[in-house]
Amino acid sequence: MTLSGKQYIGNTLSEQGSQTFAGINPATGQKLETEFFEATPQEVGQAVELANHSLSIYRKKTPQEKAAFLERIADEILALGDALIKRCMAETALPEARLLGERGRTTGQLKLFAQVVREGSWIDARIDTALPDRQPLPRPDIRQMHIPLGVVGIFGASNFPFAFSVAGGDTASALAAGCPVVVKGHPAHPGTSEMVASAIRKAAQETGMPEGVFSMVQGTSHEVGMAIVTHPLIKAVGFTGSFRGGKALFDAAAKREEPIPVYAEMGSTNPVFILPGALQERGEKIADGLSKSVTMGVGQFCTNPGLVITQTSELTQQFLKQTASHLQQTPAATMLTPGIQQAFHKGIQHLKSISDVQVLAETEVVSGSNQAAAVLLQSSSKVLTDNPALAEEVFGPSTVAITCDSKEEMLEIARNLKGHLTATIHGTQNDLEENRELIEILTTKVGRLLINGYPTGVEVGYAMVHGGPYPATTDARSTSVGTAAIKRFARPVCYQDFPDSLLPEALQNQNPQGIWRLLNGEWTKNEI
Amino acid sequence: MTLSGKQYIGNTLSEQGSQTFAGINPATGQKLETEFFEATPQEVGQAVELANHSLSIYRKKTPQEKAAFLERIADEILALGDALIKRCMAETALPEARLLGERGRTTGQLKLFAQVVREGSWIDARIDTALPDRQPLPRPDIRQMHIPLGVVGIFGASNFPFAFSVAGGDTASALAAGCPVVVKGHPAHPGTSEMVASAIRKAAQETGMPEGVFSMVQGTSHEVGMAIVTHPLIKAVGFTGSFRGGKALFDAAAKREEPIPVYAEMGSTNPVFILPGALQERGEKIADGLSKSVTMGVGQFCTNPGLVITQTSELTQQFLKQTASHLQQTPAATMLTPGIQQAFHKGIQHLKSISDVQVLAETEVVSGSNQAAAVLLQSSSKVLTDNPALAEEVFGPSTVAITCDSKEEMLEIARNLKGHLTATIHGTQNDLEENRELIEILTTKVGRLLINGYPTGVEVGYAMVHGGPYPATTDARSTSVGTAAIKRFARPVCYQDFPDSLLPEALQNQNPQGIWRLLNGEWTKNEI
């Protein structure tokens, strides 16, 4: 397809702005073809109003119709073929295999969500039937289900150009919930964003969805994003990115005349605790696995393990040496954007400037190349206590190893952790039994707790939690990956004493959708 | 029991403050016995820290143990007997029958929540089993459930001294979710609050709950409340009361270093739409029912119908006359506090000062008596458009009737509504079929939509939604009544590749709790 560089406002390509920007190839520093227009606040307003106009039509589409739309989006993304992968490689410097995998994850996610929408039970239908003879007062008939929150504003992420961007998890879950979306494409991959937007627009047209159910605006400025978050018709926001970015959206949303929920996933350091028995049993294997997890995708994952906690011992020193050696051997690679690369190097310099922080692995990269090589730092739990910055995220291929002199020191580190997306424990069965307290503490700190694995790689399924207490996210009650993400964009409503014919189908006596319903306190698919 | 006037900090009665206040009998204006100490910020801190200390023990109590605790609270409240009802009557001027009913609702709620906790499926367990042979990568085993958010701060409401106060819906749902609570008793009924607190404390002791799982502080100042909301160990807040109060808590919570959710239910005007067929068929009956709903509890309900929308006609004028006559005949009654009474009269004066607002019913009350009599005002949809204040809540026994010249005008009023707890439509089957659009619009504005009923009276069941879009609440995604309220105080966490023995019981292969679980996408009680 030919890129237009314009805003996708419903079926209209809009170019009201005068400012433009271009995609940059981070590997070469060169501008890529097509100038993209910065969206104006007016264009954002048009997109949101059109979306709001589409809401009353879109929310009434049957589960089958919404599911077909989601599946068609997946098909239209695949139909973009190699051109999409090539443009995305040029914009992100991510390798082809990774992008093919990420595309598969993105289309698989759309199809899984379509399945959940078609099945229908996600709306959590509840029915308390009337008790006309109850004393002293009759009980009315009350029926509850979830309905869409309204128009959702979604921000594409830099590090997942497919899976957390224009047709990523936030868009898939908002559309699945019945909410129209207005997406802001990430300016690091505007061509990829436009191609995916064209796929969604085509899918909407071909499956008879109302115009405005999807729009996308582009821009490098904060104003475009703020225009979305502060628009009165926007009812929720999805975001994946930096703490600073997510917190700014959260604050703006809280200050609105009508505050709205912001689901910002802002990353974390994903601490990994390695217990002595595991080190003894398979230290070399863990060093290998950990190194791969730290350097995967040039460390540009929200779930990158940035903090490794071990107990001081000969074995630990050997393990860290092995890890350093693996990291040292991992070739430097190009980061997503010059800004991310500079922030990485600045972050590492800051950590290195803390006294009693040793550098175990670090390789010089070609100056001006936008590359990063893996870094391993080491310090003690005492230094960590005095310098909480050591536990803060440096986005990129680095990790900080903290050695503790005792189990109690390790527990104290766990107790002092802020919220993280994940925590990991490596241990033998014996280690784990002896460290149940560590498991208990970590459970209260994270969205996902792993045993003997690596936090990078987030499964899209029914049970995944990609979330966690603040500051990992702005809403610990939610996940941004997995089918439970759909519920973020819905709210409960109940119907009292409605004639059957006026109830939404999902709540009618005959249960025409065949869904699970909590009928007088019992889950059943039965009719009434 | 003898009232101490002190703070209930775990098992300690604390009196560190120097300021005191007394309960006032609103019917007589006289001070009631016992001086109550204003809690100090230090006492709040002690309560929160003790609560946090109890968290790791309380959250691990079995469903059976938590359920027994909730049931015991209900029993201990009943064991307070008549003394509780008498003190509460003196503090609130609410009649005995109402308070007996409200006590029954409160204990029934505790017992229903106990049942939900014991049954166990509310935690939304989800299991995606491992696929070790999946290509290109194996799928790990992922298991999700909900765990408690942490210590919850709860604010007692003035208008429900039992059902939305110390042992009310917020406390019941937080304790059911596994969260320790720190309650601020409402200063309008400090004696009632202390008696109920003593019942909860006794129940905690008798059922082996950790000290600190429940504490209560008292006070008239905003500082006590702010000390709760801003304490770093408080992880969520429940509140029922005024818009100003709820919004202040919401803002303070959003500005914390770690923002936390605030579930503030702030009331609304609960519009009632009366369609022509219904007026013709049973106008007199609706006039009677509406009047009773407006004056129930001296209009001091969050769900009080404060806005009535009809179409201009002879029948409507007759209906309004009948309603006025019913209201005029309803005796004036004492309001909960002098402050509430003054705000009611000020609110009515303000509405009357709007030009083209007619007074259809209003009775003088004895000056200085703290009483209120019912008020019926009438105006047109045009006046409402120009004066949105007409649709804002005046807490007390009043309602504003708006007449429209057309169906389109009625729809326009519906479209312009902000968020409300409820909306009601009175109509014949024919009316309703012809006004499906009105139903559609109202669904997007409220938490509960009623046909041919009255919004006062909120059933405690599985399907109730007592909530709604802002400004009715600060979190439309929740309900503060009904068993779904429990989920407000929980968040999902997932466990990846855990050995069965280290998993929480709810997620173990054998399903020892026998709960519903989403196993690879299918709801089942089967083991794995």
Side-chain angles (χ1 to χ4, degrees):
Chain A
M1 67 173 282
T2 312
L3 296 173
S4 73
K6 299 178 186 174
Q7 322 309 326
Y8 277 56
I9 300 179
N11 295 336
T12 304
L13 295 186
S14 177
E15 48 170 317
Q16 294 170 27
S18 51
Q19 306 283 318
T20 62
F21 70 102
I24 305 286
N25 184 325
T28 63
Q30 286 181 326
K31 270 192 178 188
L32 293 161
E33 63 178 274
T34 310
E35 289 287 319
F36 292 84
F37 288 91
E38 293 267 347
T40 65
Q42 288 71 28
E43 286 173 312
V44 170
Q46 286 160 14
V48 175
E49 274 160 45
L50 198 60
N52 193 58
H53 190 74
S54 78
L55 172 62
S56 61
I57 305 161
Y58 183 58
R59 62 178 287 265
K60 303 297 284 182
K61 292 283 178 187
T62 65
Q64 289 69 22
E65 289 169 325
K66 288 192 203 101
F69 174 35
L70 292 173
E71 285 163 345
R72 186 61 176 261
I73 295 172
D75 294 342
E76 295 296 341
I77 290 170
L78 288 176
L80 291 168
D82 267 2
L84 176 65
I85 302 294
K86 290 222 162 65
R87 174 78 195 195
C88 194
M89 287 169 68
E91 289 184 328
T92 63
L94 292 170
E96 185 175 20
R98 145 75 192 269
L99 289 178
L100 288 172
E102 189 183 327
R103 186 182 63 181
R105 172 185 163 162
T106 306
T107 54
Q109 178 165 263
L110 285 159
K111 290 185 176 186
L112 177 66
F113 284 23
Q115 207 173 300
V116 170
V117 170
R118 188 176 280 119
E119 193 280 327
S121 302
W122 75 271
I123 59 160
D124 194 16
R126 292 157 173 252
I127 299 174
D128 295 339
T129 52
L131 298 174
D133 301 325
R134 190 184 65 173
Q135 292 301 330
L137 285 171
R139 180 172 88 173
D141 180 288
I142 312 254
R143 304 185 185 210
Q144 177 188 143
M145 62 179 274
H146 276 69
I147 65 168
L149 275 183
V151 182
V152 176
I154 288 165
F155 290 77
S158 64
N159 60 340
F160 280 87
F162 301 141
F164 286 94
S165 281
V166 178
D170 287 337
T171 298
S173 40
L175 291 175
C179 298
V181 299
V182 175
V183 177
K184 179 179 177 295
H186 197 282
H189 48 256
T192 306
S193 295
E194 178 171 352
M195 293 175 87
V196 174
S198 76
I200 301 178
R201 186 178 63 162
K202 191 167 174 207
Q205 288 169 339
E206 302 276 334
T207 58
M209 295 298 132
E211 186 183 356
V213 69
F214 169 82
S215 288
M216 182 193 63
V217 293
Q218 303 240 41
T220 58
S221 81
H222 292 307
E223 281 102 65
V224 178
M226 280 299 157
I228 294 175
V229 174
T230 59
H231 195 293
L233 293 172
I234 289 282
K235 299 298 180 186
V237 169
F239 169 90
T240 297
S242 68
F243 175 79
R244 194 194 295 194
K247 185 60 164 47
L249 297 181
F250 175 86
D251 288 342
K255 278 186 205 131
R256 287 166 46 121
E257 190 187 324
E258 176 188 346
I260 54 171
V262 171
Y263 301 101
E265 189 273 82
M266 306 181 291
S268 66
T269 40
N270 305 294
V272 177
F273 292 77
I274 306 177
L275 301 177
L279 264 195
Q280 175 133 35
E281 193 179 275
R282 51 190 172 84
E284 167 66 52
K285 215 179 142 194
I286 298 172
D288 180 42
L290 179 68
S291 312
K292 288 195 175 113
S293 184
V294 169
T295 55
M296 184 188 278
V298 206
Q300 299 166 120
F301 285 95
C302 314
T303 52
N304 191 57
L307 195 63
V308 177
I309 297 102
T310 58
Q311 289 180 34
T312 315
S313 72
E314 278 296 311
L315 271 173
T316 293
Q317 282 316 112
Q318 193 184 325
F319 162 75
L320 291 175
K321 244 186 228 163
Q322 289 161 343
T323 306
S325 156
H326 282 295
L327 292 175
Q328 208 85 48
Q329 284 160 39
T330 309
T334 305
M335 296 194 86
L336 290 159
T337 71
I340 288 174
Q341 194 256 12
Q342 286 149 22
F344 175 68
H345 285 280
K346 208 173 136 191
I348 295 298
Q349 290 315 314
H350 175 63
L351 295 184
K352 281 163 64 181
S353 73
I354 297 170
S355 50
D356 295 319
V357 170
Q358 285 103 51
V359 180
L360 301 192
E362 187 178 32
T363 311
E364 283 282 306
V365 294
V366 181
S367 171
S369 70
N370 200 29
Q371 291 199 332
V375 175
L376 176 62
L377 305 175
Q378 184 189 358
S379 197
S380 68
S381 67
K382 196 195 159 305
V383 176
L384 174 61
T385 306
D386 297 342
N387 301 276
L390 276 172
E392 279 165 26
E393 187 178 19
V394 174
F395 192 71
S398 71
T399 198
V400 177
I402 301 290
T403 48
C404 307
D405 288 337
S406 65
K407 183 173 156 182
E408 187 41 49
E409 260 189 36
M410 192 178 248
L411 290 177
E412 202 50 31
I413 288 177
R415 280 188 205 104
N416 289 332
L417 288 172
K418 294 185 178 176
H420 289 261
L421 295 169
T422 73
T424 301
I425 304 174
H426 281 270
T428 58
Q429 184 69 24
N430 195 35
D431 281 334
L432 297 168
E433 292 290 353
E434 283 177 1
N435 285 275
R436 280 182 178 260
E437 192 177 352
L438 178 64
I439 297 175
E440 281 305 311
I441 297 167
L442 292 178
T443 304
T444 67
K445 303 288 186 177
V446 303
R448 179 164 56 115
L449 194 54
L450 301 85
I451 299 282
N452 295 332
Y454 301 96
T456 41
V458 181
E459 282 295 326
V460 181
Y462 299 95
M464 176 52 65
V465 178
H466 186 63
Y470 188 90
T473 78
T474 51
D475 196 330
R477 297 162 294 171
S478 65
T479 172
S480 68
V481 175
T483 60
I486 299 172
K487 277 230 175 167
R488 293 178 298 167
F489 301 114
R491 69 175 180 87
V493 66
C494 82
Y495 302 84
Q496 182 167 325
D497 285 334
F498 263 54
D500 203 56
S501 64
L502 291 171
L503 280 168
E505 211 180 64
L507 296 177
Q508 290 173 4
N509 287 336
Q510 297 296 314
N511 194 13
Q513 296 183 354
I515 60 174
W516 286 101
R517 309 193 292 189
L518 191 67
L519 178 59
N520 296 320
E522 302 281 346
W523 287 106
T524 175
K525 288 188 176 182
N526 290 348
E527 55 185 63
I528 296 164
Chain B
M1 68 174 282
T2 311
L3 295 173
S4 74
K6 300 179 186 174
Q7 322 309 325
Y8 278 57
I9 301 178
N11 295 336
T12 303
L13 295 187
S14 178
E15 47 170 318
Q16 294 170 28
S18 50
Q19 305 283 320
T20 61
F21 69 102
I24 304 286
N25 184 327
T28 63
Q30 287 182 324
K31 269 191 179 190
L32 293 162
E33 63 180 271
T34 310
E35 288 288 317
F36 292 84
F37 289 91
E38 293 267 348
T40 65
Q42 288 71 29
E43 286 173 313
V44 170
Q46 286 160 13
V48 175
E49 273 161 46
L50 197 59
N52 193 58
H53 190 73
S54 78
L55 172 62
S56 62
I57 303 162
Y58 183 59
R59 62 179 286 265
K60 302 298 283 181
K61 292 283 178 189
T62 65
Q64 287 70 23
E65 289 168 324
K66 289 193 203 100
F69 174 36
L70 292 173
E71 285 163 344
R72 186 62 177 260
I73 294 173
D75 294 342
E76 295 296 340
I77 288 171
L78 287 176
L80 291 168
D82 267 1
L84 176 65
I85 302 293
K86 290 222 160 65
R87 174 79 195 193
C88 194
M89 287 169 68
E91 289 184 328
T92 64
L94 293 171
E96 184 174 23
R98 146 74 191 270
L99 289 178
L100 288 172
E102 189 183 329
R103 186 182 63 178
R105 172 184 164 162
T106 306
T107 54
Q109 178 165 263
L110 285 158
K111 289 185 175 184
L112 177 66
F113 283 23
Q115 206 173 302
V116 169
V117 169
R118 188 176 279 120
E119 193 280 329
S121 301
W122 75 272
I123 59 160
D124 194 17
R126 292 158 173 251
I127 299 174
D128 296 339
T129 52
L131 299 174
D133 301 326
R134 189 183 66 173
Q135 292 301 328
L137 285 171
R139 180 172 88 172
D141 180 288
I142 312 255
R143 305 186 183 208
Q144 177 188 142
M145 62 178 273
H146 277 69
I147 64 168
L149 275 183
V151 182
V152 176
I154 288 165
F155 290 78
S158 63
N159 60 339
F160 280 88
F162 300 141
F164 286 95
S165 281
V166 178
D170 287 337
T171 298
S173 39
L175 291 176
C179 298
V181 299
V182 175
V183 177
K184 178 180 177 295
H186 196 284
H189 48 256
T192 305
S193 295
E194 179 171 352
M195 292 176 87
V196 174
S198 76
I200 302 179
R201 186 179 64 163
K202 189 164 176 212
Q205 288 169 338
E206 301 277 335
T207 58
M209 294 299 131
E211 185 183 358
V213 69
F214 169 81
S215 289
M216 183 194 62
V217 294
Q218 303 239 42
T220 58
S221 80
H222 291 308
E223 282 104 61
V224 178
M226 281 298 157
I228 294 175
V229 175
T230 58
H231 195 292
L233 293 173
I234 289 282
K235 298 300 181 187
V237 169
F239 169 90
T240 296
S242 69
F243 176 79
R244 194 195 293 195
K247 186 58 165 46
L249 297 181
F250 176 85
D251 288 342
K255 279 186 205 129
R256 287 166 47 119
E257 190 187 325
E258 176 188 345
I260 54 171
V262 171
Y263 301 101
E265 190 272 82
M266 306 180 292
S268 66
T269 39
N270 306 293
V272 176
F273 291 78
I274 306 177
L275 301 178
L279 264 194
Q280 175 131 35
E281 193 179 276
R282 50 189 173 83
E284 168 65 54
K285 214 176 143 194
I286 299 173
D288 180 44
L290 179 67
S291 311
K292 288 195 174 112
S293 185
V294 169
T295 54
M296 183 186 278
V298 205
Q300 299 165 120
F301 285 96
C302 314
T303 53
N304 192 57
L307 195 64
V308 176
I309 297 104
T310 58
Q311 289 180 35
T312 314
S313 73
E314 279 297 313
L315 271 173
T316 292
Q317 282 316 113
Q318 193 184 326
F319 163 74
L320 292 176
K321 243 186 231 163
Q322 289 160 344
T323 307
S325 155
H326 282 295
L327 292 175
Q328 209 84 50
Q329 285 160 37
T330 309
T334 304
M335 295 195 86
L336 290 159
T337 70
I340 287 174
Q341 195 257 12
Q342 286 148 23
F344 175 68
H345 285 280
K346 208 172 138 192
I348 295 299
Q349 290 315 314
H350 175 64
L351 295 184
K352 282 163 64 181
S353 74
I354 297 170
S355 50
D356 294 319
V357 170
Q358 285 103 52
V359 179
L360 301 192
E362 188 178 29
T363 311
E364 284 282 307
V365 294
V366 181
S367 172
S369 71
N370 200 30
Q371 291 199 330
V375 176
L376 177 62
L377 305 175
Q378 183 187 0
S379 197
S380 69
S381 67
K382 198 198 157 305
V383 176
L384 174 62
T385 307
D386 297 342
N387 301 277
L390 276 172
E392 279 164 26
E393 187 178 18
V394 174
F395 193 71
S398 72
T399 198
V400 177
I402 301 289
T403 48
C404 307
D405 288 336
S406 66
K407 182 172 158 183
E408 187 42 48
E409 260 189 34
M410 192 178 249
L411 291 177
E412 203 49 32
I413 288 177
R415 281 188 204 104
N416 290 332
L417 288 172
K418 293 185 179 178
H420 289 260
L421 295 170
T422 73
T424 301
I425 304 174
H426 281 271
T428 59
Q429 184 70 23
N430 195 34
D431 281 333
L432 298 169
E433 293 289 352
E434 282 176 3
N435 284 275
R436 281 183 178 258
E437 194 178 350
L438 178 63
I439 298 176
E440 281 304 312
I441 297 167
L442 292 178
T443 305
T444 68
K445 304 288 186 178
V446 303
R448 179 164 57 115
L449 194 53
L450 300 85
I451 299 281
N452 295 332
Y454 301 96
T456 40
V458 180
E459 282 295 327
V460 180
Y462 299 96
M464 176 53 65
V465 177
H466 186 66
Y470 188 89
T473 78
T474 50
D475 196 330
R477 298 162 294 171
S478 65
T479 172
S480 68
V481 176
T483 60
I486 299 172
K487 275 227 174 171
R488 295 178 297 166
F489 301 113
R491 68 174 181 89
V493 66
C494 82
Y495 301 84
Q496 181 167 326
D497 286 335
F498 263 55
D500 202 56
S501 64
L502 291 172
L503 280 168
E505 212 180 63
L507 296 177
Q508 290 174 3
N509 287 335
Q510 298 295 314
N511 194 13
Q513 296 184 353
I515 60 174
W516 287 101
R517 309 192 293 188
L518 190 68
L519 178 59
N520 296 319
E522 302 282 346
W523 287 107
T524 176
K525 288 189 176 182
N526 290 347
E527 54 185 62
I528 295 164

